[in-house]
Amino acid sequence: MKEQIAGPKQTEEMLFALASIVESSDDAVIGITLEGFIVSWNLGAERIYGYSASEVERCALSILLPPGRPDEMPQILARIKSGERVDHYETVRVRKDGKQIDVSLTISPIKNAAGEIIGASTIARDITQSIGAGKLPRQQAAAIKASMDGIAILTENGKLVYLNDAYAKIYGHDNPEALIGKSWEVHYDDEEIRRFKQGIMPVLDKRGKWRGEARARRNDGSAYPQEISLTRIEGGGLVCVVRDITERKLIEAELAEARDAALEAVRLKAEFLANMSHEIRTPMTGIIGMTGLLLDTQLTAKQREFAETIWSSGEALLTIINDILDFSKIEAGKVKLEILDFDLRSVAEDVFKLMAEQARAKGIELASLIYSDVPLQLRGDPGRLQQILTNLVGNAVKFTEQGEVIVRVKKQFETDTHAGLRFVVSDTGIGISEARQLRLFQSFTQADGSTTRKYGGTGLGLAISKQLVEYMAGEIGVESAPGSGSTFWFTARFAKQQDQSRTPLPSRSNLRVPSLMGHAKPTRILVAEDKIMNQKVVLYQLEMLGYAADAVTNGRDLLEALESTDYDIILMDCQMPEMDGYEASAEIRRREGSSRHSIIIAMTAHVLEGDREKCLAAGMDDYISKPVKLEALKSALDRWSVDPIQQQATASNIHAHVSVEDNLESAILATFGAIENEGQRDVVTQLLDLVLRDAPPTLATLREALAKGDMETFAHAAHDLKGSCGIFGLHQIAALSAELEQRGSTRERAEDLLAELENELERLGRVFESERSRTAL
């Protein structure tokens, strides 16, 4: 059959149908000449661009181009004239209202019957709102494509509909298109998928976004750490942003390793300081101790001068050692302030007692003034406060040849619970220039290098004081001029004692319960000291105080000696060969059980943070530092010396009035008996009353802290109870408190120990009331 050729009428009908299709299309169909003028404009173009056909007829197509893009139209016309067809060319166009829209263009040349190009048709589709379907506006797509982070769009059911090159690269894919339509689960193992579904997706549904870290899997199966961010988008779906953090994790691991190495270095430094403290102080014990004993003998004037020089040089060297160790502790962050009740006036008086002889020798007047509105009953670290004041007053006396040194204490602020104080130390000494004041609080420096030769010193005192003041939430400074004296000042913040009505309990360093005890000498003292020179010094000191003593050189010999003799007091060196003082003390307590309690006084050159607590935790009763001073030794022995016969008799009397299970420790019974003869029972009664009165709130604090898991507060409360009970010889209670303090950080046996402590305190209360009633008859 021959092909039928359409006639004029049929052709006209076909053209009319084609025109109808073009006119009704939702896309913008525009016809343009080779010069770029618009010759046809359908309804789709009116809808997309906002212009009517009459408004754009014979207008240049450039009215639809955004500003700043003059080269695009010539390029389009050149491509039309070359006969090139352009499919899905994405660009930006401008509507009549000025709004820019993203469009996808198809441009086709139009030819006449002779095959010549006479114009072109452009079909444009608005793609501005097509992001939900997996496509992005051109400008946003360009920005996302350039991002180093992996960015993807997922459907509601977790299928990938868009991703940039970085996303594909992070997961080990060269072709992003290969991931389109796949589930996000292909990037994770089963455990991570479960974590996402059970833990992360509920949060995402609730908050609309989530950010965290995950363990992802590359295309080759290798795992890597990633940072991932998920955000819900309107209309459904998710935006997922991922970042490979492998390198960051390696750096973090290196930093953690460096941190651990630094902490280990600090630990080793602290251990080195402890050992050096012991090694340096041990020979100093011999030098200062023997010189002190020598000065108590008959000497010629020249011999006494030589001995006094040795003694003063030893004391000066010991001061330097203390300064260096103190500075090292501060530098290593090992200083912790104690929180104790203290009386401000007592601290000031103690400072003046220390400096009185030096000031009197130079003819300098010492004076102090505490203003009447200054609260005296405070809580803080009285030892460190005394150290700062002693340093400043000592410097003032040292650099003043005549005149006076005055200490003033003023109130800076006061609340219901705290008080801020300002301490001012003024002198009439040599003064300091403004330039040299800038170096004052630096380590190992003095105002003038020449002063080191004339006055001595390490230049550490003010640096240490500055650090301690900052620990007390204060500041320190100086006002001075050459020849006009100096005024050093510092501020500090203290808590106020809550019960201001009661007589303040002195700080631990000033508590003088020993003076209330009997002065009869015990007949059996054992000295455990491995250094023969130190042995001799202590034995000579004991002889001067009227005591007889035996000596051993290590812990094993000590235990053997105790098998044959019941010693009343043991002076225990902490570092000895074969068995040290801590091990020996623990073994003594194990052997004694509850039937006996020998008094163990530690003699140690360790003076770092926690050494006192370490001694008490090992079962020791007291602590004196080396070099052992005669006054410190006498004070310690007075603290624990009770006539054994009197002790036994007193204990027997009390046993007649209470049952066996209500028995007080022997040291307390002996204390009651000894002080009866001095007529001072009321003093100890008041102090023990304070212990028993403070016990219930302390126990409540322990219970509450344990329930909350606040083990720092728990350990602090146990520490306070240990100190207040130990000073009165309540050894069982002090030991339980010490064990609570030690075990509190792990909560091991904390409940059982706390119950045992409560029982012991109840027993103490019953016996105390019984004994008080008996003596009141």
Side-chain angles (χ1 to χ4, degrees):
M1 180 183 292
K2 290 185 179 180
E3 184 176 298
Q4 297 292 324
I5 299 175
K9 184 176 181 180
Q10 290 176 317
T11 301
E12 182 179 348
E13 290 176 350
M14 291 174 61
L15 290 174
F16 179 79
L18 181 61
S20 298
I21 293 172
V22 169
E23 189 66 22
S24 62
S25 173
D26 288 335
D27 294 335
V29 181
I30 306 171
I32 59 173
T33 66
L34 291 177
E35 291 76 24
F37 292 100
I38 298 171
V39 292
S40 66
W41 184 270
N42 73 340
L43 292 175
E46 289 187 7
R47 181 182 57 81
I48 291 175
Y49 293 119
Y51 293 100
S52 65
S54 60
E55 288 177 308
V56 297
E57 188 177 359
R58 306 306 300 176
C59 289
L61 187 64
S62 58
I63 65 169
L64 303 178
L65 270 60
R69 303 178 66 171
D71 297 334
E72 185 176 358
M73 196 63 206
Q75 291 174 0
I76 292 174
L77 295 176
R79 296 173 74 173
I80 293 172
K81 291 175 182 178
S82 68
E84 180 183 354
R85 175 183 170 90
V86 182
D87 289 320
H88 304 301
Y89 167 56
E90 294 183 1
T91 185
V92 178
R93 291 292 181 257
V94 180
R95 286 172 47 86
K96 179 180 179 181
D97 58 10
K99 180 181 178 182
Q100 293 189 5
I101 58 173
D102 295 284
V103 296
S104 175
L105 292 179
T106 298
I107 304 174
S108 303
I110 298 176
K111 299 179 181 179
N112 59 16
E116 298 171 340
I117 298 174
I118 60 174
S121 68
T122 68
I123 302 174
R125 175 168 295 176
D126 186 353
I127 59 173
T128 304
Q129 304 298 327
S130 63
I131 186 170
K135 296 185 178 181
L136 297 172
R138 184 171 177 273
Q139 292 174 321
Q140 295 178 18
I144 292 174
K145 186 178 180 64
S147 173
M148 296 180 67
D149 290 335
I151 302 174
I153 297 174
L154 290 77
T155 63
E156 189 68 30
N157 59 1
K159 302 292 184 182
L160 288 161
V161 295
Y162 174 85
L163 63 150
N164 66 352
D165 292 343
Y167 187 92
K169 184 178 180 182
I170 287 174
Y171 287 104
H173 292 273
D174 294 329
N175 180 18
E177 295 295 329
L179 288 172
I180 295 297
K182 291 188 176 181
S183 171
W184 64 272
E185 296 181 6
V186 300
H187 302 313
Y188 303 96
D189 59 23
D190 293 341
E191 184 178 348
E192 280 295 89
I193 291 172
R194 186 163 45 261
R195 186 172 76 94
F196 269 96
K197 289 182 176 179
Q198 296 177 0
I200 297 173
M201 292 306 180
V203 176
L204 183 64
D205 292 339
K206 182 178 180 180
R207 299 181 181 176
K209 57 184 177 180
W210 178 86
R211 181 175 182 178
E213 294 182 5
R215 193 77 180 167
R217 190 172 56 190
R218 297 188 182 91
N219 190 38
D220 60 6
S222 61
Y224 73 97
Q226 69 174 195
E227 186 177 78
I228 181 170
S229 174
L230 300 171
T231 305
R232 291 282 185 196
I233 56 178
E234 292 184 10
L238 287 173
V239 174
C240 174
V241 181
V242 296
R243 177 179 295 177
D244 187 338
I245 56 173
T246 303
E247 186 175 350
R248 190 178 82 189
K249 288 295 183 181
L250 290 174
I251 294 173
E252 288 176 355
E254 291 174 358
L255 289 174
E257 186 177 348
R259 179 201 62 207
D260 292 341
L263 291 174
E264 177 65 9
V266 170
R267 187 192 67 79
L268 292 173
K269 181 177 180 180
E271 187 176 310
F272 172 77
L273 285 173
N275 292 330
M276 285 304 298
S277 169
H278 181 270
E279 295 301 324
I280 294 173
R281 286 169 175 272
T282 296
M284 290 303 300
T285 300
I287 295 171
I288 296 175
M290 280 297 191
T291 306
L293 294 172
L294 181 62
L295 286 168
D296 289 329
T297 64
Q298 296 293 327
L299 300 173
T300 66
K302 187 168 288 295
Q303 289 172 335
R304 181 167 296 280
E305 180 184 352
F306 291 163
E308 287 177 347
T309 301
I310 295 172
W311 184 84
S312 62
S313 297
E315 288 286 345
L317 180 57
L318 186 60
T319 300
I320 294 172
I321 293 169
N322 288 338
D323 279 352
I324 293 174
L325 289 172
D326 230 357
F327 178 75
S328 299
K329 284 191 293 181
I330 292 173
E331 190 181 46
K334 293 293 183 181
V335 171
K336 292 183 180 178
L337 298 184
E338 290 189 294
I339 305 299
L340 305 169
D341 288 354
F342 70 93
D343 181 85
L344 180 61
R345 197 178 300 279
S346 296
V347 173
E349 289 173 356
D350 287 344
V351 172
F352 273 63
K353 288 176 185 176
L354 289 172
M355 304 309 306
E357 184 58 37
Q358 186 179 347
R360 187 162 46 247
K362 298 181 72 171
I364 298 171
E365 181 181 350
L366 283 179
S368 66
L369 173 61
I370 300 177
Y371 287 77
S372 59
D373 62 342
V374 173
L376 300 178
Q377 311 310 318
L378 303 173
R379 281 180 59 79
D381 194 328
R384 291 302 186 180
L385 175 59
Q386 182 175 330
Q387 181 179 355
I388 299 168
L389 284 171
T390 300
N391 192 295
L392 296 182
V393 174
N395 280 349
V397 172
K398 180 165 67 174
F399 294 108
T400 300
E401 298 302 327
Q402 59 181 2
E404 62 185 14
V405 173
I406 301 176
V407 178
R408 296 179 176 86
V409 185
K410 304 176 181 179
K411 183 174 72 175
Q412 193 176 33
F413 71 85
E414 183 176 7
T415 68
D416 292 339
T417 58
H418 289 79
L421 305 183
R422 181 181 177 88
F423 299 82
V424 180
V425 180
S426 303
D427 65 58
T428 56
I430 60 176
I432 310 166
S433 69
E434 186 174 348
R436 289 169 178 166
Q437 289 175 29
L438 300 175
R439 302 201 306 269
L440 272 182
F441 299 101
Q442 298 176 12
S443 307
F444 302 102
T445 61
Q446 291 185 326
D448 187 348
S450 63
T451 61
T452 304
R453 294 187 294 272
K454 182 176 180 180
Y455 297 100
T458 62
L460 282 175
L462 289 177
I464 292 171
S465 296
K466 181 177 185 294
Q467 294 290 335
L468 292 177
V469 165
E470 289 175 355
Y471 272 106
M472 295 180 180
E475 298 177 320
I476 191 169
V478 62
E479 300 167 5
S480 183
S484 301
S486 302
T487 297
F488 282 82
W489 59 268
F490 70 93
T491 60
R493 184 174 181 268
F494 301 99
K496 292 164 61 177
Q497 294 178 26
Q498 294 305 304
D499 189 356
Q500 296 287 325
S501 61
R502 69 183 186 185
T503 302
L505 193 64
S507 65
R508 185 181 303 168
S509 59
N510 296 325
L511 195 58
R512 300 298 295 174
V513 173
S515 65
L516 306 178
M517 293 187 174
H519 297 290
K521 308 300 181 189
T523 57
R524 295 178 296 274
I525 294 180
L526 181 60
V527 177
E529 168 63 67
D530 63 310
K531 299 293 190 298
I532 301 301
M533 177 62 70
N534 291 352
Q535 261 191 30
K536 290 181 179 180
V537 170
V538 175
L539 290 173
Y540 280 136
Q541 289 175 328
L542 290 171
E543 184 180 345
M544 291 179 63
L545 295 172
Y547 294 92
D550 298 325
V552 293
T553 57
N554 61 63
R556 298 196 184 279
D557 291 345
L558 180 148
L559 294 176
E560 289 182 9
L562 290 176
E563 290 178 359
S564 58
T565 306
D566 290 332
Y567 288 96
D568 300 287
I569 292 181
I570 301 168
L571 296 174
M572 181 81 76
D573 182 26
C574 289
Q575 285 196 344
M576 296 183 292
E578 296 190 40
M579 179 183 283
D580 64 24
Y582 302 113
E583 295 174 290
S585 298
E587 180 60 20
I588 290 170
R589 295 296 180 236
R590 188 191 69 79
R591 293 184 181 187
E592 288 181 338
S594 59
S595 61
R596 176 178 170 77
H597 188 95
S598 302
I599 302 303
I600 304 176
I601 302 175
M603 298 187 305
T604 177
H606 285 178
V607 291
L608 298 182
E609 179 72 25
D611 289 328
R612 176 184 291 274
E613 286 72 19
K614 186 177 180 181
C615 291
L616 295 177
M620 303 182 195
D621 299 287
D622 209 341
Y623 173 109
I624 54 177
S625 62
K626 293 181 179 179
V628 176
K629 302 287 185 66
L630 188 63
E631 296 81 0
L633 180 60
K634 179 181 183 301
S635 177
L637 293 174
D638 285 346
R639 190 150 50 237
W640 302 104
S641 297
V642 180
D643 189 334
I645 298 176
Q646 183 182 17
Q647 185 182 71
Q648 184 177 0
T650 306
S652 299
N653 290 336
I654 296 183
H655 288 171
H657 297 278
V658 294
S659 61
V660 175
E661 64 269 20
D662 289 340
N663 184 21
L664 270 172
E665 277 105 330
S666 58
I668 283 297
L669 300 179
T671 300
F672 271 112
I675 63 174
E676 275 181 336
N677 297 329
E678 297 184 6
Q680 294 177 313
R681 169 178 286 274
D682 287 344
V683 179
V684 170
T685 300
Q686 291 173 11
L687 293 173
L688 283 173
D689 259 333
L690 288 176
V691 173
L692 293 171
R693 188 175 69 185
D694 288 343
T698 302
L699 289 172
T701 299
L702 287 167
R703 282 288 182 196
E704 183 179 357
L706 184 61
K708 292 181 178 179
D710 183 3
M711 306 319 293
E712 182 177 352
T713 300
F714 184 91
H716 182 72
H719 177 84
D720 286 348
L721 186 60
K722 176 187 68 178
S724 60
C725 291
I727 200 70
F728 292 107
L730 301 173
H731 307 299
Q732 179 66 16
I733 297 175
L736 286 169
S737 302
E739 191 170 358
L740 277 171
E741 179 186 8
Q742 185 178 10
R743 294 181 182 272
S745 59
T746 60
R747 304 187 68 170
E748 181 183 359
R749 288 193 61 224
E751 286 283 357
D752 293 340
L753 287 170
L754 191 52
E756 190 175 347
L757 177 64
E758 289 175 337
N759 291 335
E760 288 296 323
L761 284 167
E762 287 178 7
R763 290 199 310 113
L764 172 63
R766 290 195 298 268
V767 174
F768 178 64
E769 290 300 326
S770 177
E771 174 61 9
R772 183 159 57 179
S773 299
R774 182 186 68 82
T775 56
L777 296 176

